[in-house]
Amino acid sequence: MRVMVFAKSNEEMAKGMANPTPEMLEAFAAMDKFTEELVQAGVFIAAAGLKNGPESKRIVSEGASRTVTDGPFAESRELIAGFSIWEVKDMDEAVAWAKRAPNAMPGRSEMEIRAFYEAEDLGEFVTPEERAEPRKGERGKLGVA
Amino acid sequence: MTAGETHRAIEATFRLERARLIAGLARLVRNVDLAEELAQDALVVALSEWPQRGVPDNPGAWLLAVAKRRAIDILRRDKMRERKHEEIARTRHGAFDDAAEALETAMDDDLGDELLGLVFTACHPILSPDARAALTLRVVGGLTTEEIARAFLSSETAIAQRIVRAKKAIARAGLTFEVPRGAERAARLPSVLEVIYLVFNEGYAATAGDDLVRPGLCLEARRLGRMLAALMPEDAEVLGLLALMEIQASRLAARTGPDGDFLPITEQDRARWDRLLIRRGLDALVRAEALAGPVSDWGPYLLQAELAACHARARRAADTDWPRIAALYDRLRVVAPSPVVDLNRAIAHSMASGPDAGLRLLDEIAAAAALRHYAPLPAARGDFLFRAGRLAEARSEFEAAAALTRNARERAYLLARASACAGEP
């Protein structure tokens, strides 16, 4: 199964990106080492850190209208600092790895693990006939990155 | 957390450490069976101690320390027994003490080395490919005997015996669990890659809807492949095999139609190919090709990976670069000759330069004994003849192919093609 692991950020952390403290540099090195372990175990698929600055956008839809808000966004517990995608045998394995991740934030930090919808979970949305029918144009596979 | 949950969490942590733990211990005690037992004992100790004391900061080191203590106890006991019998093997135990010390330091700075040593030992050419696969899945992949038996459609007893015999053969041969270097490594690597690809194909050959353990083998093989690629990032064939498996796995979900029938690559819905796996495969391929140099230097896995990539890169079946595929088969035929490669090569040339080119190549291989009862051969010839407008001949080839296949769906498909020949003017 595949999971996406979200690392949450806080304002302090986000501000520190431009001027990292020695502690932050150390935390990043630890994170690098951890990622290397994931690679060596064959678990790691992809990962990226995400900026929280004026270039982040939020799009709110209400009926036909779309409202775009510029970042940075203030709700500190909602900031996603980054994500990574792992391929694991089960959720227990994902949790065991996640507990091993170094705490890259000063103080408390949070991670969240979410399982991918795989093709077999989407039977209600894509019928077998639809699946067999070659699609016109480009359309990604539902639910899979 | 309930006691049951704590138990599961500890076992999950143990699973992350298990392969390295066994690898480290096997090199120490020179015995896979004992290493496995020691690792299991360490888990039992963890299950009794961690719920009270908490999980240690470095669970891997903790487990290794516990297992090593026990290993030393066992070896001391053996030593005393041997002394009693006046059969002191000083050298062996002296070597053991040195090894214990060496291990202590080695575990810290070259963790991957033990694991690689275990992989090379479990895949040693003195073992049959099936024995290598079972042992590797057991000690490196951490699968249970029952899981391996289900995956290989075999009985648990048969697999258990296969593993026991493999372990004994390793002990008899006095294998050291070291990573082979230089020329020896190059000579032994193919037997490692062969095992990983065999595991992958066991999973890949299973059809959708079957026991999920079999497709699970594809994941296991890719994990082994990724692990090997991380440990040997400078080897083009290791990366080539990884690329091949990632790209092939990207098509797993697209290989079957609504009735569960097999769809050939040209008829699959490419929107259902997994782009993430394709990208990973292409990344590995780029690295492999940079290491390997010109195509004339490529090994069989890299060539097959590039073949798979030619399909992956084509957004529509009509965009497929058949001339490139035909040229790659020309090379593969030299590096890894087989009648099936010859047949696929003929098909590729028919797609690249027309049915007559395919027919010419088929004539060259038609005499091969291995293909005498092989349905895809007359099926391919029927297809070439059909495309050349030689319908009567095409029809008898399709009928011959239908008579040879044991697969009912394939037979229906071939007979339908045969009658399509009759329907034409």
Side-chain angles (χ1 to χ4, degrees):
Chain A
M1 68 184 295
R2 277 182 293 189
V3 296
M4 186 173 281
V5 185
F6 295 99
K8 304 286 186 68
S9 179
N10 54 38
E11 277 173 274
E12 204 182 324
M13 173 81 182
K15 273 187 213 136
M17 289 301 290
N19 263 317
T21 60
E23 292 76 30
M24 278 179 73
L25 291 173
E26 209 174 292
F28 264 72
M31 206 64 205
D32 246 12
K33 194 160 165 272
F34 174 63
T35 304
E36 188 54 35
E37 267 186 69
L38 290 168
V39 171
Q40 294 231 346
V43 166
F44 182 85
I45 301 280
L50 302 173
K51 291 178 179 176
N52 174 52
E55 63 270 74
S56 41
K57 304 284 179 193
R58 179 173 288 164
I59 293 96
V60 178
S61 303
E62 276 191 279
S65 91
R66 303 284 182 272
T67 314
V68 179
T69 318
D70 291 341
F73 303 114
E75 303 87 331
S76 59
R77 286 198 54 190
E78 295 304 318
L79 294 181
I80 294 170
F83 70 87
S84 61
I85 299 173
W86 302 343
E87 191 162 26
V88 288
K89 291 184 186 174
D90 50 37
M91 200 41 110
D92 286 348
E93 186 184 331
V95 172
W97 276 115
K99 287 202 293 203
R100 184 167 294 203
N103 184 357
M105 317 280 173
R108 182 194 139 92
S109 77
E110 231 174 71
M111 285 166 96
E112 195 167 312
I113 308 178
R114 307 277 295 270
F116 277 39
Y117 276 114
E118 301 285 352
E120 58 268 27
D121 299 320
L122 296 167
E124 301 298 318
F125 295 90
V126 190
T127 64
E129 290 71 30
E130 251 182 316
R131 283 188 193 180
E133 183 87 5
R135 286 178 188 148
K136 307 273 183 292
E138 273 304 310
R139 186 170 134 201
K141 189 172 142 192
L142 266 179
V144 177
Chain B
M1 227 187 219
T2 66
E5 283 168 344
T6 310
H7 209 273
R8 259 180 53 201
I10 291 173
E11 279 185 344
T13 300
F14 175 76
R15 261 160 44 196
L16 305 189
E17 301 296 341
R18 188 175 178 276
R20 283 181 197 284
L21 194 55
I22 291 176
L25 291 164
R27 186 172 293 184
L28 179 66
V29 300
R30 304 265 162 108
N31 179 327
V32 205
D33 210 27
L34 181 57
E36 242 189 310
E37 222 171 272
L38 290 166
Q40 204 59 34
D41 289 348
L43 169 64
V44 173
V45 179
L47 285 169
S48 82
E49 292 197 7
W50 292 1
Q52 274 94 46
R53 298 191 194 173
V55 178
D57 287 343
N58 187 340
W62 190 95
L63 288 162
L64 181 68
V66 167
K68 268 191 343 194
R69 265 202 304 279
R70 190 159 296 226
I72 290 165
D73 285 347
I74 289 173
L75 290 170
R76 282 220 184 93
R77 207 177 55 210
D78 285 357
K79 196 173 179 179
M80 291 206 349
R81 199 180 299 145
E82 283 175 17
R83 223 178 240 145
K84 248 183 234 160
H85 294 295
E86 292 175 314
E87 288 171 3
I88 307 167
R90 278 177 207 288
T91 47
R92 184 179 161 216
H93 291 111
F96 168 75
D97 289 335
D98 293 347
E101 226 165 90
L103 187 82
E104 202 103 42
T105 41
M107 282 307 278
D108 294 332
D109 44 61
D110 199 2
L111 277 167
D113 199 52
E114 271 86 13
L115 196 52
L116 201 53
L118 180 63
V119 172
F120 269 97
T121 306
C123 293
H124 199 283
I126 58 164
L127 306 171
S128 75
D130 283 350
R132 280 180 241 157
L135 186 61
T136 304
L137 287 172
R138 177 79 199 107
V139 297
V140 185
L143 269 67
T144 63
T145 312
E146 196 223 332
E147 285 171 324
I148 299 167
R150 269 161 60 199
F152 283 102
L153 308 178
S154 180
S155 78
E156 217 180 317
T157 328
I159 295 292
Q161 277 175 353
R162 192 182 292 172
I163 291 174
V164 168
R165 266 188 248 118
K167 285 175 180 168
K168 281 190 183 147
I170 289 173
R172 254 199 321 275
L175 304 186
T176 57
F177 298 89
E178 300 291 332
V179 182
R181 308 279 170 200
E184 202 202 339
R185 179 189 290 206
R188 278 179 52 193
L189 185 61
S191 81
V192 176
L193 301 181
E194 180 190 9
V195 167
I196 295 177
Y197 198 41
L198 182 140
V199 170
F200 181 83
N201 276 318
E202 280 292 328
Y204 200 67
T207 49
D210 256 357
D211 193 340
L212 281 174
V213 174
R214 282 169 69 72
L217 282 183
C218 288
L219 170 60
E220 204 54 59
R222 278 184 291 127
R223 278 167 68 128
L224 288 169
R226 291 173 191 160
M227 199 185 84
L228 202 62
L231 296 171
M232 302 176 68
E234 302 300 319
D235 191 285
E237 279 290 271
V238 169
L239 291 168
L241 172 61
L242 178 60
L244 173 62
M245 292 191 296
E246 302 276 28
I247 296 173
Q248 284 187 336
S250 77
R251 302 180 196 134
L252 263 171
R255 290 183 316 160
T256 43
D259 307 322
D261 46 342
F262 177 81
L263 294 176
I265 196 164
T266 44
E267 287 170 35
Q268 290 172 11
D269 173 3
R270 293 178 185 226
R272 300 194 61 218
W273 289 359
D274 190 324
R275 310 305 312 179
L276 180 63
L277 289 182
I278 290 178
R279 209 198 62 216
R280 284 187 62 79
L282 294 178
D283 283 352
L285 188 59
V286 167
R287 286 160 57 208
E289 289 177 1
L291 287 165
V295 179
S296 53
D297 292 343
W298 291 9
Y301 291 105
L302 181 50
L303 284 167
Q304 291 176 81
E306 178 60 30
L307 278 166
C310 285
H311 293 291
R313 289 190 196 106
R315 292 281 174 165
R316 299 170 307 155
D319 298 337
T320 310
D321 186 353
W322 288 107
R324 167 107 179 125
I325 291 178
L328 288 164
Y329 271 116
D330 290 347
R331 272 308 299 166
L332 188 59
R333 184 170 177 266
V334 176
V335 175
S338 92
V340 175
V341 168
D342 284 340
L343 176 57
N344 289 332
R345 173 170 171 255
I347 295 171
H349 278 278
S350 88
M351 297 301 280
S353 339
D356 290 335
L359 285 168
R360 266 196 308 279
L361 289 172
L362 277 193
D363 286 340
E364 286 174 23
I365 60 169
L371 295 183
R372 196 155 295 150
H373 302 291
Y374 190 60
L377 178 63
R381 189 187 295 277
D383 181 62
F384 301 167
L385 290 166
F386 181 83
R387 283 158 54 204
R390 294 156 65 179
L391 298 182
E393 292 163 272
R395 179 181 185 172
S396 64
E397 293 292 339
F398 283 130
E399 284 168 351
L404 281 175
T405 183
R406 288 194 208 102
N407 183 313
R409 287 181 198 284
E410 204 173 284
R411 186 177 309 120
Y413 168 80
L414 290 164
L415 290 175
R417 290 211 66 179
S419 39
C421 297
E424 298 289 318

